[in-house]
Amino acid sequence: MKLGKQAISMATGAALFAAAATAAWAGELELSGAQEVPPVTTAAKGTGEIMVAADGAVSGSVKTTGVAGTMAHIHLAAMGKNGPVIIPLTKTGDGVWSVPAGAKLSPEQMKSYQAGELYVNVHSEAHKGGEIRAQLKP
């Protein structure tokens, strides 16, 4: 009987470890000009979802309205700060920006993501530094 309980405990632990290794975080986003640094007054807005797997693989997209986006990216910086581009997004439709296949965070970028220090924003001709933005939250 003890061996049975021990085997069950080991199997449960292995299953939990496997689930943690493949766990993913998905964050629903609401992009706005108020979240840009400095804030932007705009009628533009966006929604979307960015998923980050435990191994750092990134997927997802954002959909915008009220803005003629010229480019979109995932950047490295805490809320209230601007930072460098780490993943350029690809325009895949009218107002739709998607994470390219194969995008992956480095171990250091993953730590930044887990600390809430990544954001996505969409740039426009009128606001070259970014018109709308949302912080990614693990």
Side-chain angles (χ1 to χ4, degrees):
M1 190 77 145
K2 275 191 171 187
L3 183 57
K5 285 182 182 179
Q6 188 177 28
I8 290 171
S9 288
M10 289 175 69
T12 302
L16 289 173
F17 177 78
T22 60
W25 297 276
E28 291 186 22
L29 303 170
E30 290 191 27
L31 292 83
S32 70
Q35 296 178 70
E36 279 291 350
V37 179
V40 172
T41 301
T42 180
K45 58 186 174 181
T47 59
E49 186 173 55
I50 301 291
M51 284 80 56
V52 179
D55 68 353
V58 183
S59 61
S61 64
V62 295
K63 169 98 172 111
T64 63
T65 58
V67 60
T70 56
M71 52 186 159
H73 311 103
I74 295 175
H75 295 258
L76 175 65
M79 189 178 303
K81 297 182 178 186
N82 291 319
V85 172
I86 58 171
I87 300 175
L89 303 186
T90 303
K91 189 168 187 177
T92 55
D94 187 28
V96 179
W97 298 89
S98 300
V99 176
K104 194 167 183 178
L105 299 177
S106 70
E108 284 303 310
Q109 292 167 342
M110 190 68 169
K111 288 178 188 173
S112 295
Y113 167 71
Q114 291 167 338
E117 296 175 348
L118 299 185
Y119 68 92
V120 61
N121 76 342
V122 178
H123 305 256
S124 68
E125 197 60 43
H127 298 283
K128 292 183 185 344
E131 185 157 340
I132 55 177
R133 169 179 167 156
Q135 206 72 22
L136 303 184
K137 296 181 182 170

